Every structure is written in structure tokens, then in C-alpha cells.
Amino acid sequence: MADAVWLVGVDMTPFGRFPDRDLLDLGSAAALGALSDAGLSIHDVDVLAAGNVFQAASGVGQRLLQQIGQTGIPVFNVVNACATGATALRTAIMAIRAGEAEVALAVGMEQMGKAGLLPTSLDPGWTPGTFTPAGRDGSVMDTGGVLGAAQMPAVFATAGLEYAFRHGGVHFAQFAKVAEKNHAHSTLNPLAQYRKRFTYDEIWAAPMIAFPNNALMCAPTGDGAAAVVVVSGERLASLSDEQRRRAVKISASVLTSDPWSDAGEALPDFNTLTRNAAVAAYEEAGVTPADLDLVELHDCFATAELLHYDNLMLCAPGEAGRFIDEGHPWRDGTLPVNVSGGLLSKGHPVAATGIAGIYEVATHLRGEAGDRQIPGATVGLAHVLGLGSSCGVHILERGAP
Amino acid sequence: MTARIPIVDYLVIDDGEPYLVAHEAVGSGALTFTRRNADPVSGEPGFVPRRLATTGTVRAFTVVHRDAPGVEVPYASVVVALDGGGVVRGRLVGTSRHPRNVATIERVRLTTFVAGVDDHGTEAIAFAFEPDAAGVAVAGGGDGDG
């Protein structure tokens, strides 16, 4: 087993829509905030992992360093759909574990504005002047919506109803309860994009997007950034008592992709790679789901959260419906899930999301989460899933060596 | 006679009843609709075409109310496990789109429709599914607005 890697600094910007700021303003704010939180400077950093999706070809990490300090360190620009932030952190951790760095900075930053439905096609609705077979399926026109549903809300809606087909006790109501919980949780989070509580009836009545996901069951797009500073155990030992007291142990860092599935071309399998990541993470950390005090998981849609109760083994197999019905994932339940408000209400600036989950868990483990603090939290899990697919799971634990 | 072309190369429309054809990996038997360079399971090269059944069982569905510009909504979308192998996604047509109804549709069969016409009058033929027999009630869609 490799030596432990420690989180010593973390920060995030508010999530929302900030047309008066650009991507680098957002990334700089999070990076400088995390360095300040760590009590370190950019001159202490040995490597930068920079996550961004929508400007990924523009050397975002180097452009960020131009804003916060061009020290000449190696930069890894990473993109992995909605798992981009977690991938940046994973990259930073690997650099430390490999002995290439003692201090690493991982940043996830995104500026999307109000992007609406995120298409899975590059050119939805496009019809050419002359039909000519092209691409790996020999298509003659865009097939999105023609050969069934291809937009994100619909893809995750279908996955949710596949779970309902396989297991009892899951109907529209269970998905609505997920949204009710996360919108309620967000009212305590000053960094959330939305902080409005909705009644169950209001959620039930929201405009439908793709059954069962309606408008209050879909994460909003937006702008934001999050950053984390991680160090080796040796470097941690050189820091002050206060820095060590606030350090959070990264007990597991796992990234998976989707193995072959016979249905994968019709409906991406979000379950197997998540379960694989969870199994590996629990083993690496030496903990079980019963040890967790809080979980931040990837609720891009309400249907997704329900799946991941099961995939992350927070409930017994097939019991996700009962898990939400009995109130377990509420902040006062047996295993609080998405006390930040989740993507559904905190927001989902894609590349920032993975590190924002780390921010939330670490802040609770440090006992610094204010009104939304989960009392006595010592172990937490952060999960993200990027369509394509990638899954990142990190397990964090309170306590310095 | 109007010229026709399949919307994707795995739909066959030129010799009688339309059907789908998959790439079957020689090593593992995995079925794919998109062209691959090696078996996704074994990593070895080698595929043969395999004609698939035109009937199957609904594995999951959604009813889409908002989609990209130009896509007519609402519509029902189903994931179908074809009899004998192959899982594919398509629209469900020929029945009510309300979730309470779609959730009762278990058996479906392949059908086709004109998805578009190009500047030369050539029709792009797409596939969809329609109910094949009396439905069997399943979980998941019994509540909520469609």
C-alpha cells in the first residue's frame, strides 16, 4: 500500500451564473483559496492538474498559472466529462504516490452559463443536403431523438426506470423524494446555486423533461470552480500543528471506466463502473459503507441518485426505493447524502463538480461546515460519474498522523 | 419510385421485412451496432455479421418532453432486448405515450418510418418499435405526469 496522501487545503467558489467573470477568474479564486487554506503558496506546488471540459483544448492549466504564478511546474490538463474534477485530483494523487511531487494542486473549473439540455450529439437535428453514410454506424443524418432518446435527462431517466423494472418499490414518487431532499438540503449551503426548498407537491407538478425527470429533478448548468491541495505524508510532517490538525486523509482514490455491457450502445451502464469503483475504494480505505458519516454522490438527475444508493452499497441490493422512503439519506437520517444540496440544487459546473464534492466532505470532516455540519463526521465518500463513462470515488477520513 | 436509404448501416431495408444486423465478435460473441476494431471483451480482431430478431422485450423506457430543436416531442423511447441477442434503443410508436401505458408494454416488434428527406428526394428510413401483443404490467411508470 502506498503512503497516505493528505488534503491540506480546499476551496470552492459559489456556484451560479457569473457573466462578469471568466473561467480563469473562477479557477484563480478557487486555487488561491485552496492554497491560502493550506497555508502554502504557488511556489510550494510541484505539479498542477487542471480540469475543464468546455475549453479543454485551450491549455487551461497553463492559462491558470499565468494568473496565479508561472513557476514552470508541469501541468496536466485533464478532461473526463462530469468526472473531470475527480480525475484532476486523482492525477495529483498519483503524482505524489509516484514520488514525483510532494505538493500538488488540483483545480476543476467551468463556465457554462445557462446551457440548457446538454446534447449527446454534436449537431442535433441536422439533416444533410445529400444522404451519405458516415461514421461508425453509417448514419446518414443525426439520429438523436430519431432512434430513441439521446439527451442527458432522457438517458438518465431511462436508467432510472430500468432500475424500477428490475426492482420493486420504485416509482415516480421515489425520484421526487430525492429532489425534495436535495433542494431542502441546499437551503443551508451559502455556496449553492439555488437555495429554495420545494414541497413534494411542487416537485410533482414541475414541467416534465423526460419522464420521470422533471425540471426540479435535473441539475442546472452554471459557472464555478473548486480546488484542492494535497501533500505527501512526509511533507505533511513538516507543516505546522494547525495545518496537521486540519489535514484530511485521502484513504482511497479510485477511477474506473465502463466495462463491456451488452446494452451499452442502447443505454450506458452507469452501474457496473460505479460499483467497481466503490468496491475498490472500500477495500483501499479499509472501511465499509456502514462506516460512512456522509456521502456526496453524482445526482445529475434524481434518477441517478437513486441508482447510486445501490451502486455505492449504501442500501441493500434492490432497496434504493425503501432507502429514500425511510428517510435514510436526509441530513438527519442514518446516512446523509448530498447535504450540500447535490448537483440538483448546489449546481453542476461540470469540471468543478468532482472537487466540490471533496470540498463538502472535507469541510464536514474538519468540523467547519457551519449550519449544515453533520455532527461528529469522521469518514466520508465523494462520487462522480461522467457519461462516456468515467467514475471517480474518493474516501476521506478525519485525523492527522 | 422514391429512393430510400437506411438511417444507419445496421438497419437492412432492401430485401423484404426490415431487420437489424449486428457485428458479432468471433471471440466472445459480443454484439455491437457500431463498427469496432476489436472484440470489446477479448480484444481480439474478427467480426461476422449477424441478423437479429425483429421482436423483443422492453427493458426500460422514458417519455421525452424536451429535446433538441427540430426533434418532435413528446415521444416514448424504449430499450429493447431483441429475442436471441442484441439490445437496441428506439422510439415506441403505435400506442399512447403516457407512462402508465408505456409501462405496460412488454413485447414489441420492429417497424420503420421515414425520418427525413434530402435535397434529392431520397428518404432516410429509421426503425422504431410497436407493441407486439397484449401488455404485461411492470413497475416504474405508474405515477406522475407523462
Side-chain angles (χ1 to χ4, degrees), chain A residues 1-8 46 92-93 95-99 101-104 229-240 243-244 247-250 399-401:
Chain A
M1 177 61 69
D3 290 340
V5 175
W6 297 84
L7 179 156
V8 294
D46 300 316
I93 290 169
I96 290 175
R97 286 181 176 173
E102 290 191 335
V103 179
V229 179
V230 290
V231 301
S232 65
E234 186 174 350
R235 187 71 168 91
L236 179 69
S238 72
L239 299 180
S240 69
Q243 287 167 307
R244 292 201 305 275
V248 172
K249 182 182 179 184
I250 299 177

Side-chain angles (χ1 to χ4, degrees), chain A residues 14-27:
Chain A
F15 283 180
R17 292 177 181 137
F18 309 112
D20 57 329
R21 307 175 75 184
D22 66 18
L23 179 71
L24 301 179
D25 291 327
L26 296 166

Side-chain angles (χ1 to χ4, degrees), chain B:
Chain B
M1 182 176 177
T2 303
R4 305 191 311 159
I5 188 170
I7 189 171
V8 287
D9 61 11
Y10 57 89
L11 171 63
V12 179
I13 59 172
D14 53 3
D15 57 351
E17 183 189 30
Y19 63 92
L20 302 179
V21 61
H23 306 281
E24 181 176 12
V26 173
S28 69
L31 299 173
T32 74
F33 293 103
T34 57
R35 179 172 58 83
R36 308 246 180 158
N37 295 328
D39 182 341
V41 177
S42 72
E44 298 297 322
F47 291 87
V48 295
R50 179 173 156 193
R51 179 172 177 160
L52 303 180
T54 57
T55 55
T57 302
V58 175
R59 185 182 282 196
F61 77 94
T62 183
V63 179
V64 178
H65 289 250
R66 291 192 196 175
D67 207 312
V71 177
E72 187 177 345
V73 292
Y75 65 89
S77 174
V78 289
V79 174
V80 177
L82 298 173
D83 297 336
V87 183
V88 68
R89 185 188 67 221
R91 287 189 174 215
L92 179 70
V93 299
T95 188
S96 165
R97 296 180 292 254
H98 195 286
R100 286 196 193 93
N101 174 66
V102 178
T104 67
I105 306 297
E106 185 176 71
R107 295 289 300 166
V108 293
R109 63 175 176 265
L110 193 77
T111 187
T112 58
F113 65 98
V114 177
V117 181
D118 73 6
D119 293 347
H120 310 285
T122 300
E123 294 178 343
I125 305 300
F127 65 86
F129 292 92
E130 59 188 2
D132 188 41
V136 176
V138 291
D143 300 308
D145 176 36

Side-chain angles (χ1 to χ4, degrees), chain A:
Chain A
M1 177 61 69
D3 290 340
V5 175
W6 297 84
L7 179 156
V8 294
V10 67
D11 197 20
M12 66 176 280
T13 69
F15 283 180
R17 292 177 181 137
F18 309 112
D20 57 329
R21 307 175 75 184
D22 66 18
L23 179 71
L24 301 179
D25 291 327
L26 296 166
S28 298
L32 292 173
L35 287 166
S36 176
D37 184 52
L40 299 172
S41 87
I42 191 65
H43 293 279
D44 295 305
V45 175
D46 300 316
V47 62
L48 167 66
N52 173 261
V53 173
F54 291 95
Q55 298 182 31
S58 66
V60 167
Q62 289 84 347
R63 293 167 58 209
L64 177 66
L65 288 181
Q66 290 166 14
Q67 304 301 316
I68 65 172
Q70 291 181 253
T71 57
I73 59 173
V75 172
F76 296 90
N77 290 302
V78 304
V79 57
N80 229 352
C82 298
T84 292
T87 304
L89 174 57
R90 178 95 182 96
T91 302
I93 290 169
M94 287 195 298
I96 290 175
R97 286 181 176 173
E100 295 269 341
E102 290 191 335
V103 179
L105 173 64
V107 185
M109 56 196 126
E110 206 72 76
Q111 188 161 44
M112 305 167 71
K114 187 174 176 57
L117 298 175
L118 293 182
T120 50
S121 165
L122 294 177
D123 204 357
W126 177 71
T127 302
T130 301
F131 287 141
T132 305
R136 304 192 77 83
D137 61 358
S139 53
V140 300
M141 59 183 285
D142 188 90
T143 61
V146 179
L147 299 182
Q151 298 276 3
M152 300 285 185
V155 171
F156 281 92
T158 309
L161 291 186
E162 183 192 41
Y163 186 88
F165 269 49
R166 287 189 285 118
H167 305 289
V170 177
H171 300 273
F172 181 86
Q174 282 64 45
F175 300 120
K177 288 178 182 178
V178 169
E180 180 188 19
K181 170 183 70 73
N182 290 356
H183 285 292
H185 284 172
S186 72
T187 62
L188 297 175
N189 185 355
L191 301 177
Q193 184 163 342
Y194 297 112
R195 300 182 66 190
K196 181 177 179 181
R197 183 165 191 160
F198 294 91
T199 66
Y200 179 80
D201 289 342
E202 288 171 327
I203 291 169
W204 186 280
M208 187 58 67
I209 306 296
F211 181 86
N213 285 324
N214 66 26
L216 290 175
M217 300 182 192
C218 300
T221 60
D223 312 328
V228 59
V229 179
V230 290
V231 301
S232 65
E234 186 174 350
R235 187 71 168 91
L236 179 69
S238 72
L239 299 180
S240 69
D241 290 347
E242 177 64 6
Q243 287 167 307
R244 292 201 305 275
R245 184 190 66 79
R246 296 179 69 244
V248 172
K249 182 182 179 184
I250 299 177
S251 299
S253 173
V254 176
L255 188 68
T256 59
S257 63
D258 44 344
W260 164 254
S261 160
D262 68 341
E265 291 185 334
L267 178 64
D269 176 5
F270 307 119
N271 303 316
T272 305
L273 80 164
T274 298
R275 187 165 282 263
N276 288 350
V279 168
Y282 291 131
E283 181 178 350
E284 182 177 330
V287 304
T288 72
D291 295 317
L292 299 175
D293 297 305
L294 76 159
V295 172
E296 288 287 304
L297 62 74
H298 201 79
D299 59 322
C300 48
F301 301 94
T303 49
E305 174 158 327
L306 204 84
L307 295 179
H308 296 315
Y309 294 155
D310 202 322
N311 295 329
L312 296 172
M313 292 164 271
L314 310 183
C315 65
E319 294 290 325
R322 179 181 296 185
F323 190 68
I324 184 71
D325 279 342
E326 294 178 350
H328 296 289
W330 280 80
R331 55 172 291 107
D332 58 354
T334 57
L335 180 47
V337 175
N338 286 333
V339 295
S340 68
L343 283 59
L344 289 182
S345 199
K346 181 178 64 179
H348 184 25
V350 170
T353 293
I355 297 179
I358 297 292
Y359 170 87
E360 185 69 17
V361 172
T363 302
H364 285 269
L365 299 184
R366 285 168 155 182
E368 299 173 355
D371 291 342
R372 68 183 188 286
Q373 175 72 40
I374 298 300
T378 58
V379 185
L381 181 150
H383 157 265
V384 287
L385 185 137
L387 189 61
S389 297
S390 300
C391 177
V393 171
H394 289 86
I395 294 176
L396 309 183
E397 292 185 80
R398 184 174 67 186

